[in-house]
Amino acid sequence: MSTAVTMGQTARKGVDADRLLTVVCVGLPLLGLVLFFLYPMVIVFLRSVTVEDGYGLANYRDVLGSKGFWRATGNSLMMGGATTAISVLLGFVIAQGLYRCAFPGKWVIRAVIVLPLLAPSLVQALGLIFLLGRNGIVSRALGVEIEIYGFWGLLIANTLYALPQAVMIIGAALVLLDARTYEAAEVMGASPSRQFRDLTLPAARFGILNAAFVCFTITITDFGNAAVIGGDYSVLATEIYSQVVGQRNFNMGAVVGIMLLLPTVISYAIERQAMKRQQIGQTTGQVPYIPSFAPLRDMSIAALSLVICAAIVAVIGIVVYASFVTLWPYNMALSPKHYDITLAGGYSSLRITIMISVMAAVGGTLAVFLLGLGLRRLPQVVAAPIQLLAAMPAAVPGMVLGLAYILTFNSTATPLYLLYGTAALIAIVNFYHYHTQSFLTLMTGFRQLPPALEEAAGSLGAGLGRTAIDIVAPFVAPMLVSVFFFLFMRSMVTLSAVVFLTTPDLSVAAVTIMRLDNAGLTSQAAAFSTCVMAVVCVALLGMKGTLASLQRRTRRKGAA
């Protein structure tokens, strides 16, 4: 009898320990979301309605009555629409070539298309200036002066920056199309053009729609390219920067931030619906499509894809090349002198950025893992609103989140004021800027985890902690690795979310590049950009190597 009582007490202790650990797993990340996302967004809204005698809509009346605001809004919408149309069209062509055509050298296209993601957004603008600016290689070779600053230069830079997103999203939709459908169409005598019109386009429509809204959001919220090559073509992102940094008008900056938030929230909501529709339309057991060679189709798409890739290589490659040119464009001899950077803090900001990126990656990966682990133990009615909150940061532009942080943490009214001006706060804003992507990536891994594994561990007496370490973490290890390196690489190159949070003693790499360019030290900006891209490329290779090692280990275990 005493043995039975002891076993019952042990079981109750185990249950209580699991419940406590579940509360901790959910509670800590949830507290972080409330303090570092929800609370700052409430503050930015309150500041937008703050007037001299309390609260009111005077700030909104002033902004909405400003011709400058409507000009920036019109420019943002026009730029977003034009960039989206071109990016989605070209992205569809490249994705079609990668997944629906048969030609050699696809690895080259896959490698090149991700290059814009490995650099700060303003690198595209720098590259265009070196190519097409007043002293650009193309301009001098043709003997003409190309006006690259303004709408057209910004359109090209934004298109190159958004294109990889379009290719990946549309490619993810095309790769899921079932080969059996096309085999049935061929048996029925449908021509390739008819198959494309009646099968490919309808099946990929939600992927195309998803890509369109992602590209639109990226474009209207980007600050780096607009700051470098936008010229007099003002957009909402530069308008916020002007209000906050130029005029120190935080309330007006908050109003413009809220106005910028509206189209991105609408875009995000539609994008999520499109993603759900695409997931609903997916069926299990698809047969992978293996394309057959069609000379006219495949060679045409391959040629166009390679031309686009050549443009990407030219824009990014010229930045690397210009960093070694002695005096652009008058002395083209190669020299490493531009890497001797002493202004704008020198290389200290690069070291700080690496440290911040590691902090964001380690802390962020742990936070989303704990949250995903805890949500599995909660009833759906409780987990659903938490999942909704965890997915909300994707709807907030980096400029708005950074503005919210400076309004929230630069105030002595909160103990969190101690974080202002620290590397920890920049690491936190980087994590919550990309929280949604990290959370959804890891949740995909959790959904693939067979419940029987956890049930078997529980039946053997393992608690939640032991199960998490021995069962869950090894199973989702590839997702954890992907999230870690994703957060690291994005933290290395992000600009919009951190531009308001840097101080004279604490800067980050992307801001240093912008300051060097603003000071007229374009070659040194190119050198610093090259260093940042080198760090990110090493991280990418590290991720590939780690994932390959995990796959080999899994195969060995399976063979054993």
Side-chain angles (χ1 to χ4, degrees), residues 69-93:
F69 168 76
W70 289 111
R71 181 174 63 253
T73 301
N75 289 346
S76 290
L77 294 176
M78 182 181 298
M79 179 60 61
T83 301
T84 298
I86 299 173
S87 299
V88 171
L89 177 61
L90 297 181
F92 183 84
V93 171

Side-chain angles (χ1 to χ4, degrees), residues 125 147 160 169 203 226 253 256 293 303 316 370 376 409 413:
E147 185 52 55
L160 294 177
I169 294 171
V256 180
F293 181 67
I316 295 180
L370 291 177
R376 290 176 63 85
F409 300 108

Side-chain angles (χ1 to χ4, degrees), residues 475-527:
F475 187 89
V476 299
M479 298 296 181
L480 290 173
V481 170
S482 299
V483 168
F484 175 87
F485 282 101
F486 168 77
L487 288 172
F488 177 85
M489 290 187 288
R490 297 316 298 167
S491 296
M492 283 296 304
V493 301
T494 190
L495 172 63
S496 59
V498 302
V499 69
F500 294 132
L501 300 177
T502 57
T503 66
D505 298 324
L506 178 68
S507 187
V508 295
V511 174
T512 298
I513 296 170
M514 185 181 72
R515 288 175 179 169
L516 289 170
D517 179 69
N518 290 340
L521 303 173
T522 312
S523 295
Q524 289 197 4

Side-chain angles (χ1 to χ4, degrees), residues 344-354 506-510 512-513 528:
Y347 284 105
S348 63
S349 64
L350 181 61
R351 292 190 293 271
I352 291 172
T353 305
I354 294 174
L506 178 68
S507 187
V508 295
T512 298
I513 296 170
F528 210 97

Side-chain angles (χ1 to χ4, degrees), residues 78 80 85 111 117 190 193 199 220 280 320 338 365 375 381 462 466 541-542:
M78 182 181 298
L117 299 178
S193 60
L199 297 178
I220 67 171
I280 291 172
V320 178
H338 297 301
T365 304
L375 288 175
V381 67
R466 184 68 179 271
L541 293 176

Side-chain angles (χ1 to χ4, degrees), residues 419-440:
L419 287 171
Y420 186 75
T422 66
L425 187 62
I426 297 180
I428 290 170
V429 75
N430 282 338
F431 166 54
Y432 285 102
H433 186 198
Y434 298 105
H435 182 277
T436 302
Q437 296 91 324
S438 306
F439 174 72
L440 294 179

Side-chain angles (χ1 to χ4, degrees), residues 431-462:
F431 166 54
Y432 285 102
H433 186 198
Y434 298 105
H435 182 277
T436 302
Q437 296 91 324
S438 306
F439 174 72
L440 294 179
T441 298
L442 202 57
M443 289 305 293
T444 299
F446 275 116
R447 281 193 292 268
Q448 295 171 355
L449 176 63
L453 290 179
E454 292 181 281
E455 293 171 0
S459 65
L460 293 174

